[in-house]
Amino acid sequence: MPDEWVTKESGHMSLQGEWTLAHYSDLKGALDRQGNISSADSISLNGLKRLDTAGAALIVELIGVDKAKQVAEWASELPKEQQALLVRIAEAMDTPLDIQHQTPHRITDALASIGQSMAGVWSQQRQLLAFVGLVLATLLPLLLRPHRWRFTATVAHIQQSGLNAVPIVALLTFMVGAVVAFLGATVLADFGATVYTIDLVAFSFLREFGVLLAAILLAGRTASAFTAQLGAMKSNEEIDALQAQGLDPIELLVLPRVIAMLISLPLLAFVGMISGLVGGAMVSTLSLDISLTQFMTTLQKDVSVTHFLVGLSKAPVFAFVIAVIGCLEGFKVSGSAQSVGSHTTSSVVQSIFMVILIDALAALFFMEMGW
C-alpha cells in the first residue's frame, strides 16, 4: 500500500499531502521506507498542500541543499511562499557549524575586559551628561510658568525622600559623631589635647560628614526607589502611554523628584550636622569630663560659620546628581524584572561613587581657595 505522503513509480517520486510538524514522525518513516532519492530520476512537489519548517527540513534532506536552492527552476508550480521557505531552510542547513574557537589568553582577555569596562563607563557618562542637559532644559523654562508646577507630586516626594529619612540620618550621624569623638580623644589624650576633640567633631561634621553621610544614605535609599518606580512604569509601558498622550515624562516624572531632592538633602544635611555634634557632645560629657557649657563655648569660639556654609553648599549638588542618576537608570529599564534589579543596583553604585568623587573635588577646591 503506497504511503500517503510519498509515492515512487518508474524513477519518479512525488510528494503530496501536508508536510507539517504534526505528521513529522509519519513523514520520516515514509521517507525511510522509500529509500534513497538517487534511484529516482525526477521529483514532483505538485501534491503539497501545506508546508512548515519541519516538513521543509525533511524535503531539503531528501533532495539536497543545492537542488533546494534551485527549487524555483524545477518546481515553478509550487507557491512562492513554499519556495521561499525551502530556500531559507537550505541556506540555514548550508551554514558550517564547525566554528573555530580561539584559545583563551589571560593577558589579552584581561585587557579586553578592561577596554569593554572603560567603553561602558564612557558611554554611561555621556548618557548622564545628556540627561542632565535634558533635565535642565526642561526645568529652566518651567520656572517661569508656575501654573505648570506639580506641587502635589513634589510634596509627596519630599515626604518620601526627606521627612521619612530623618530618623535614620539622625541616628547614623549621632553614632558616627560619638565614634569620631571617642577615637579623636583616644589619640589626642597622648598629647594632653583632649579638649581639641570638640574642634575635630565640629570641623568633620560641619564640612564633610554631615552632608556626606546624608547623601550616601539618600543614594542608597532614594535613588534606588526612583529607579524602581520609573523602571516599573517603563516595563508596564506607562511612560509610552504618557508620550502617546502628548505629555512630557521629564516634566511629569523627573522634575518633581529632582526638586524634592534639592529641598530634602540640605535639610537632612543640617539634621546630620546637628546630630553628629550632639553625639560628640555626649561622649565629651560622659567620657572626657568636658561639660556641655564648655563644649558649646569652644564650638562658638573656634568654629566659624564658614565651615557650616561650605558643608551645606555641597548638598544641592549631591541632591541633583543622585536624583538624575536614579531617574536615568529607571528610564533605561528594558522590561524584565532582572533589568529592574540590575539598573537599581547600578543607580546606587553610580550615585555613591559620584557623591564621593564630587566631595573629593570640592574639598580640593575649598582648600585651594582657603575657605
Side-chain angles (χ1 to χ4, degrees):
M1 181 178 179
D3 289 301
E4 181 181 356
W5 296 278
V6 184
T7 58
K8 186 175 180 181
E9 296 179 358
S10 303
H12 176 77
M13 181 176 288
S14 176
L15 307 182
Q16 62 269 345
E18 299 182 356
W19 285 60
T20 60
L21 182 61
H23 307 295
Y24 185 85
S25 59
D26 295 330
L27 290 168
K28 190 72 174 175
L31 291 177
D32 293 341
R33 287 191 294 272
Q34 291 294 341
N36 198 325
I37 191 177
S38 58
S39 59
D41 297 332
S42 62
I43 186 168
S44 174
L45 305 180
N46 295 341
L48 288 180
K49 297 179 181 178
R50 293 179 60 193
L51 181 66
D52 65 2
T53 306
L58 287 175
I59 294 176
V60 172
E61 292 179 1
L62 179 67
I63 64 178
V65 172
D66 294 335
K67 191 170 183 178
K69 290 181 179 180
Q70 302 172 358
V71 65
E73 299 177 3
W74 57 271
S76 56
E77 71 284 350
L78 198 66
K80 298 295 184 182
E81 296 81 2
Q82 296 182 359
Q83 293 182 17
L85 180 60
L86 287 171
V87 172
R88 183 64 177 171
I89 295 297
E91 292 175 349
M93 296 177 66
D94 196 30
T95 303
L97 298 179
D98 51 339
I99 302 175
Q100 296 293 333
H101 295 282
Q102 297 182 352
T103 303
H105 194 279
R106 292 183 178 181
I107 297 179
T108 56
D109 289 349
L111 292 175
S113 178
I114 294 173
Q116 290 176 355
S117 300
M118 294 302 297
V121 171
W122 172 246
S123 175
Q124 193 175 67
Q125 296 307 310
R126 289 181 58 190
Q127 292 178 356
L128 178 60
L129 186 61
F131 191 71
V132 167
L134 180 61
V135 171
L136 292 177
T138 308
L139 175 62
L140 296 180
L142 197 65
L143 296 176
L144 304 177
R145 292 179 285 181
H147 63 280
R148 299 192 63 175
W149 296 355
R150 294 177 55 82
F151 289 102
T152 304
T154 303
V155 171
H157 288 301
I158 290 175
Q159 180 183 1
Q160 294 173 5
S161 61
L163 185 60
N164 294 345
V166 168
I168 183 63
V169 171
L171 178 61
L172 179 64
T173 51
F174 175 82
M175 292 188 296
V176 173
V179 171
V180 169
F182 183 77
L183 293 178
T186 302
V187 175
L188 293 174
D190 297 335
F191 304 95
T194 307
V195 70
Y196 288 105
T197 303
I198 303 173
D199 300 81
L200 174 64
V201 174
F203 287 145
S204 61
F205 271 88
L206 291 180
R207 294 184 68 97
E208 295 293 337
F209 285 164
V211 63
L212 187 61
L213 292 175
I216 291 176
L217 279 174
L218 285 192
R221 183 181 182 277
T222 306
S224 59
F226 288 172
T227 303
Q229 291 166 3
L230 295 180
M233 295 182 68
K234 183 71 178 298
S235 62
N236 293 332
E237 300 182 354
E238 296 177 28
I239 296 178
D240 296 336
L242 290 176
Q243 292 176 327
Q245 296 175 21
L247 301 175
D248 186 5
I250 303 297
E251 180 179 337
L252 267 68
L253 303 176
V254 176
L255 291 187
R257 289 171 166 83
V258 172
I259 295 173
M261 284 290 290
L262 290 173
I263 297 173
S264 300
L265 187 53
L267 299 177
L268 289 174
F270 178 76
V271 171
M273 294 174 185
I274 299 300
S275 299
L277 292 177
V278 171
M282 184 193 70
V283 172
S284 300
T285 302
L286 298 179
S287 302
L288 308 180
D289 294 330
I290 299 175
S291 65
L292 183 60
T293 303
Q294 182 182 0
F295 187 95
M296 296 301 297
T297 302
T298 306
L299 187 67
Q300 184 178 4
K301 181 182 64 174
D302 295 347
V303 182
S304 66
V305 73
T306 303
H307 303 295
F308 170 74
L309 296 177
V310 165
L312 206 61
S313 65
K314 295 183 285 188
V317 180
F318 292 164
F320 184 81
V321 170
I322 292 170
V324 167
I325 290 176
C327 294
L328 174 60
E329 291 299 317
F331 283 121
K332 288 182 181 179
V333 172
S334 60
S336 63
Q338 182 179 2
S339 178
V340 174
S342 62
H343 284 289
T344 300
T345 304
S346 176
S347 70
V348 174
V349 173
Q350 287 186 62
S351 299
I352 295 176
F353 174 79
M354 292 300 296
V355 163
I356 296 176
L357 176 62
I358 294 172
D359 184 71
L361 296 177
L364 293 175
F365 172 77
F366 290 134
M367 182 181 66
E368 293 295 329
M369 296 299 293
W371 293 349

